[in-house]
Amino acid sequence: NVEDLTERTGLHANTVRGQLDILLATNVISREPHSTTSRGRPRWLYAMTSGHTSPYQQLAEVLASELSRIGDDTAARVADLWANLLPPLHAAQNSDEAVAEAAAALEQLGFSTSVNPSGDAITVTDCPYSALVEANPVICDIHASLVARVFAQIGQPVTLDSMDVWVRPGLCVAHLSRADLAPARI
């Protein structure tokens, strides 16, 4: 409802109402009265229109149709181009900094990340492309190549050893090889 939206956005109620009117007029959202037993006008409840696809989803669908045609070499080239679009990566002073920089780069691209305590794995979640992965597993190859290229740009002896893809839906793990980490006992 309008009150919830004003609270969450910090916008004035009139601004929220104006934006909701635009979204209603373009059929992006729908509204229906909140059923209540109290007297007076009911509050309007707003919801996304079923079947409405966002511009992102529309682009994703177009890209998905093209992704089915690419091979491993194309995935590597796409990763190279994508890595070049990242803001300049800072040269890391040590391997821990390199891992943190790579995790931050992935977050800039819309993923959520966490680094394990030993710093030899990055857990990647909230993939913005998760709806496409099942039909287009090459997306995961592109992401793995991207991680490898990010480490190459950071300038520390950290590399992508392997990528566990879709350990659970929406969760991948990048296993890293670090020259500074060696177990005391095996």
Side-chain angles (χ1 to χ4, degrees):
N1 65 36
V2 171
E3 291 80 19
D4 291 337
L5 291 169
T6 58
E7 184 178 308
R8 289 181 185 191
T9 63
L11 298 172
H12 190 275
N14 290 339
T15 302
V16 170
R17 284 186 193 95
Q19 296 300 313
L20 289 170
D21 288 342
I22 293 168
L23 294 171
L24 280 167
T26 57
N27 293 321
V28 172
I29 62 171
S30 63
R31 77 174 180 188
E32 54 186 63
H34 180 260
S35 58
T36 181
T37 58
S38 63
R39 294 171 30 121
R41 286 191 299 166
R43 293 188 301 177
W44 289 108
L45 298 180
Y46 298 87
M48 292 292 294
T49 304
S50 63
H52 174 76
T53 56
S54 69
Y56 165 79
Q57 186 61 36
Q58 292 168 351
L59 175 61
E61 289 169 6
V62 170
L63 291 173
S65 68
E66 292 299 312
L67 285 173
S68 62
R69 300 181 208 181
I70 70 173
D72 291 341
D73 59 328
T74 305
R77 285 197 317 267
V78 169
D80 281 338
L81 292 170
W82 200 9
N84 291 335
L85 294 175
L86 284 169
L89 299 171
H90 304 290
Q93 300 301 311
N94 56 52
S95 295
D96 286 332
E97 207 174 282
V99 173
E101 183 77 15
L106 288 169
E107 290 192 5
Q108 289 175 1
L109 296 171
F111 299 92
S112 294
T113 63
S114 64
V115 177
N116 73 343
S118 62
D120 64 353
I122 301 173
T123 300
V124 182
T125 58
D126 299 329
C127 175
Y129 311 95
S130 61
L132 303 173
V133 168
E134 187 174 341
N136 302 285
V138 71
I139 291 172
C140 299
D141 298 336
I142 294 169
H143 293 159
S145 292
L146 176 69
V147 171
R149 271 125 186 103
V150 165
F151 278 116
Q153 290 180 12
I154 293 174
Q156 284 293 319
V158 179
T159 58
L160 177 67
D161 187 41
S162 65
M163 187 87 160
D164 293 341
V165 175
W166 237 236
V167 175
R168 280 188 263 146
L171 185 139
C172 299
V173 180
H175 297 280
L176 310 176
S177 177
R178 294 178 49 162
D180 65 327
L181 291 182
R185 290 178 71 166
I186 296 181

